[in-house]
Amino acid sequence: MLTQEEINKKMEEWPKHYDPESIELKWQKIWLSQEFWEKVFRFKDEDTQSPTFVIDTPPPFTSGELHMGHAYWVSIADTIARFKRLQGYNVLLPQGWDTQGLPTELKVQYKLGIPKDNRELFLKKCIEWTEDMIKRMKEAMIRLGYRPEWERFEYRTYEEKYRRVIQKSLLQMYENGLIEMKEGPVYWCPKCETALAQSEVGYLEKEGILAYIRFPLKDGGDIIIATTRPELLGATQAVAVHPEDERYKNLIGKTVIVPVFNKEVKIIADKSVEKEFGTGAVMISTYGDPQDIKWQLMYNLPVAELLDEKGRMKNTNGLLDGLKVTEARKKMVEILKQQGYLVKVENIKHNVLSHTERSDCLSPIEFLTKKQIYIRTLPFKSQLLEEYKKMKFIPSRMSHYLEDWINSLEWDWNISRQRVYGTPLPFWYCDNGHLVPAKEEQLPIDPTKISPPVDKCPKCGLPLKPITDVADVWIDSSVTVIYLTGFYTDKNRFSRTFPASIRLQGTDIIRTWLFYTFFRTLMLTGNIPFKEVLINGQVLGPDGTRMSKSKGNVVNPLDRIDEFGADAIRLTLLDARIGDDFPFKWETVKAKKLLLQKLWNAGRLSYPFIGKKKFEKPLTLNSIDQWILAEHKRFIEKVISAYDNYDFYTVVESLYSYFWETIADEYLELIKHRLFEEDQSALYTLQRIFRDLLIILHPLAPHITEEMYSKLFGDKISILLERIPDVSDIEEDPEILKLGEYIKKTTSTIRTLKIKNQLSIVSMINVKLVGPKEFIEKIRSIESDIKKTLKIESIEYQEGDEIKAELLSIVKK
């Protein structure tokens, strides 16, 4: 029999208040130690017995700021990896960095004042900037409890070993006839001064004008055309109307004169014209929008380019030359008005094709005619639409976003970018547009620094020039699976790790990172890149809208991490259905910390009785212990199933109903007196459920569970060397579960009775319990425990339909 004094002395070894900051910093340091890496976090190449689990995580762009979206997938990745380790998997959790993005160039160019012309210094400063950003982001990731295998599987897309894989993949695609140079219209961002791929642009609603312009007919009369791009009047190659538009049927085939520029063009009929927009007659300019490109190709129209790479006007006979688009638009409206061609101008809001992939740009794009390097994607649309079905999407509804994107593809993938800080494209070219690839043994290379493998173009004999453009950043990041599984470097590992088990990413990069990885891996290996694709939703600001600095609703995950702890933040982020958007609120984090404090308190209460002790299962278990073990079995089986389905929301919610409401509020109170009596049934049961609880909670809240495990058990150096709880030996007895329901009802009824009579919980009373016969029989079987727990001296029983309690008297001390 333990005394209260002995218990109190033992409890002093366990701090009363849960201090997440000190616990987390302690374990983060331990996790980074050599011993822990070798025993816990290392992907063991030599382990051919354990099943492997490979997680393809996002290589975030190195901005230096770890925003809430980063914190979300970091929590998901770490949780999955820890759970799979507990299941006995040999887990490969890498972490890469997407380093060669345009924002870094802009920072170095404008913030550091380094000119692009000084190429070597510029690249050196880009790498220095990148490394500084990585350092800041990595520290923040570690602070959140993220533990990938930094030691062997941390990579940067600018590194030579990674760059070699990028360039080798391009050579392989070239050999397979997928890469070519061709001249034609390209998406062009005048602000970033580079070509873009279709996946990098999208429509944004912007303020604009609709100018109604009178076009004279050569034979007399006129036709009114409404356009949002009057500055492109000089590039007009035809006027189009709908063939079934009664207003213009008699004008089809006639000639009109382009105002101001006095150029004669034909009126053509095309069903793509929207009869309801403007006047139903449109000017086809090269190029105002993607439809103009389609018409130019369809009708073999001439091309006139009026814009340069900086978005300034040219070739306008001096009328608009040198002006930016918005200035040119205003001036052209004035000229049309002066010359009597302007009918009216309407202010409108309309969708403008913009550089949407870069949130720090969002500028309208233009179309310029350029020689660019393309990967052929359009011929494979049918194959892609079949193959993507082999990947399981979580949630399943997310698959249609990929399908819709594949169906919407209209252009091949333009992979050349007019930038400096990027992976050099390993090709030379001649003026006829023929490409000459580098030799594999030369990789990684910069073609501007070495001679081509042959003196002249093998196809036409013209001199060769190096490709000075660099690769699209999605070329870099779309080979993450190829690189990590060792497709080119380690056939042994590749055979065991490919396809990767799961890809983690957000909804915002389905048409870029997901599509390009899927497409490239399929082309290079003939197989899908991963078995499962988990697509998380977006973390919104506290106001329920997308986080934006301009709106002032951005929340940094580290703002209050010392106050609430990383575990509470992780629980908050994971307490949402995968795929759903949800707001992040510190009030929710505070509530999660209260849950962890409750767990800490339960550990402190249990520590004097079960800490570092081992109890064998007794031959006979107390019926209350049988009940809690039955509840425990239901809880463990439910959350294991939830983890297997990446349903972290169910795990978090189950913790409240099982741990807080059942273990902490009911069971621990019911067995306190038996713990003092060193009852073997109570001690065995408490130890078992606590060990299981810490193990099952560890993936979500790794720091507090490591700390409590080391204090209560400490059999192994890490809880991660334990295995997922096995509850197959626990009997499922409906009668025992029914007893539990009656226990909860009784304790709730007695506590309510005391509150109603303004009595303290520890006041001793005599009561009458009323209820059905079954209820009375079951409570009689544990009457001693009920009396000791609820401070009752005597109980009278009376059969009745409704369970209730009546106060008979207060016991005076």
Side-chain angles (χ1 to χ4, degrees), residues 302-495:
V303 174
E305 199 166 73
L306 300 192
L307 284 163
D308 68 12
E309 295 174 351
K310 294 183 182 292
R312 297 171 304 199
M313 301 298 295
K314 65 178 183 178
N315 301 327
T316 63
N317 300 327
L319 290 173
L320 308 174
D321 291 0
L323 296 179
K324 291 284 190 179
V325 168
T326 52
E327 298 166 343
R329 189 170 299 154
K330 290 177 184 176
K331 186 167 183 181
M332 179 51 70
V333 168
E334 291 173 7
I335 293 171
L336 289 165
K337 186 176 181 180
Q338 290 168 4
Q339 296 189 16
Y341 294 113
L342 186 69
V343 178
K344 64 176 179 177
V345 175
E346 294 176 351
N347 292 318
I348 62 169
K349 286 185 177 180
H350 63 137
N351 290 326
V352 177
L353 200 59
S354 306
H355 187 182
T356 50
E357 191 267 331
R358 279 276 167 255
S359 59
D360 52 357
C361 180
L362 303 180
S363 300
I365 65 100
E366 300 292 350
F367 293 93
L368 303 185
T369 302
K370 293 279 185 183
K371 273 187 178 177
Q372 298 285 287
I373 296 179
Y374 291 83
I375 292 179
R376 297 172 65 229
T377 53
L378 297 181
F380 304 99
K381 286 175 69 169
S382 297
Q383 182 183 358
L384 293 169
L385 287 168
E386 282 303 312
E387 293 291 329
Y388 93 90
K389 297 172 185 174
K390 296 177 181 177
M391 299 182 290
K392 179 184 177 183
F393 281 75
I394 304 152
S396 60
R397 69 178 187 273
M398 291 296 173
S399 66
H400 86 87
Y401 290 108
L402 180 60
E403 181 179 336
D404 287 351
W405 175 246
I406 295 170
N407 278 318
S408 73
L409 288 173
E410 295 182 337
W411 293 36
D412 285 327
W413 182 8
N414 175 5
I415 66 169
S416 46
R417 296 292 179 270
Q418 292 64 49
R419 300 189 292 104
V420 177
Y421 185 39
T423 299
L425 292 165
F427 301 101
W428 289 261
Y429 74 104
C430 72
D431 286 339
N432 283 333
H434 301 137
L435 291 176
V436 174
K439 298 292 185 184
E440 185 180 328
E441 57 269 21
Q442 295 177 299
L443 305 181
I445 67 145
D446 182 343
T448 65
K449 294 182 178 180
I450 66 170
S451 300
V454 292
D455 294 333
K456 295 179 180 179
C457 176
K459 292 183 179 179
C460 66
L462 288 179
L464 295 175
K465 305 172 186 177
I467 296 289
T468 56
D469 295 342
V470 296
D472 176 8
V473 290
W474 300 109
I475 285 290
D476 296 350
S477 58
S478 60
V479 293
T480 50
V481 175
I482 297 288
Y483 173 77
L484 294 163
T485 57
F487 177 59
Y488 292 125
T489 57
D490 191 334
K491 295 300 181 186
N492 219 9
R493 183 193 300 154
F494 182 76
S495 66

Side-chain angles (χ1 to χ4, degrees), residues 486-722:
F487 177 59
Y488 292 125
T489 57
D490 191 334
K491 295 300 181 186
N492 219 9
R493 183 193 300 154
F494 182 76
S495 66
R496 293 170 49 228
T497 60
F498 183 87
S501 307
I502 193 168
R503 151 66 67 90
L504 308 181
Q505 67 163 73
T507 52
D508 53 329
I509 48 175
I510 289 175
R511 69 181 195 173
T512 48
W513 192 40
L514 176 57
F515 171 73
Y516 288 138
T517 307
F518 166 49
F519 169 72
R520 291 248 279 147
T521 308
L522 184 63
M523 294 298 107
L524 293 167
T525 70
N527 200 354
I528 56 172
F530 13 76
K531 299 167 188 172
E532 296 182 310
V533 184
L534 186 150
I535 298 181
N536 60 266
Q538 302 295 310
V539 187
L540 308 174
D543 58 356
T545 64
R546 186 180 289 270
M547 289 191 187
S548 165
K549 287 183 180 179
S550 62
K551 289 192 288 187
N553 67 344
V554 174
V555 181
N556 187 311
L558 301 188
D559 283 347
R560 301 175 71 179
I561 195 168
D562 292 344
E563 178 183 356
F564 295 123
D567 287 346
I569 292 173
R570 289 167 63 122
L571 285 171
T572 300
L573 291 169
L574 295 171
D575 191 11
R577 300 285 187 191
I578 290 294
D580 290 353
D581 297 345
F582 62 95
F584 181 91
K585 299 178 180 179
W586 286 114
E587 293 89 343
T588 312
V589 183
K590 183 178 180 180
K592 295 297 186 286
K593 186 186 176 183
L594 289 176
L595 172 64
L596 296 175
Q597 179 70 61
K598 192 90 169 176
L599 180 70
W600 184 259
N601 293 345
R604 186 170 185 265
L605 172 67
S606 306
Y607 174 67
F609 306 103
I610 65 171
K612 300 293 176 73
K613 298 174 184 177
K614 187 169 180 62
F615 302 99
E616 297 298 329
K617 184 177 182 178
L619 294 175
T620 304
L621 286 171
N622 181 288
S623 55
I624 292 176
D625 300 327
Q626 291 179 46
W627 160 61
I628 208 63
L629 285 171
E631 292 281 5
H632 184 68
K633 179 173 185 172
R634 294 204 302 186
F635 165 74
I636 293 295
E637 289 178 341
K638 181 179 181 181
V639 296
I640 288 175
S641 174
Y643 271 124
D644 280 333
N645 290 292
Y646 312 108
D647 181 8
F648 310 119
Y649 169 83
T650 292
V651 180
V652 175
E653 294 306 301
S654 298
L655 276 169
Y656 279 96
S657 58
Y658 172 67
F659 166 69
W660 191 308
E661 297 173 8
T662 303
I663 298 297
D665 288 353
E666 299 290 348
Y667 180 67
L668 286 177
E669 294 299 320
L670 283 164
I671 65 167
K672 272 183 184 177
H673 66 279
R674 286 197 289 134
L675 293 177
F676 277 91
E677 296 163 3
E678 299 183 86
D679 178 271
Q680 293 301 296
S681 177
L683 292 169
Y684 161 78
T685 304
L686 179 61
Q687 184 185 68
R688 175 168 184 174
I689 63 175
F690 227 118
R691 180 188 286 268
D692 289 356
L693 186 62
L694 292 179
I695 292 171
I696 211 72
L697 178 57
H698 175 76
L700 297 172
H703 307 90
I704 190 173
T705 49
E706 281 274 32
E707 179 71 6
M708 291 179 67
Y709 175 84
S710 69
K711 287 179 176 293
L712 286 170
F713 308 106
D715 308 35
K716 302 173 173 64
I717 65 164
S718 171
I719 194 172
L720 280 167
L721 296 179
E722 292 281 0

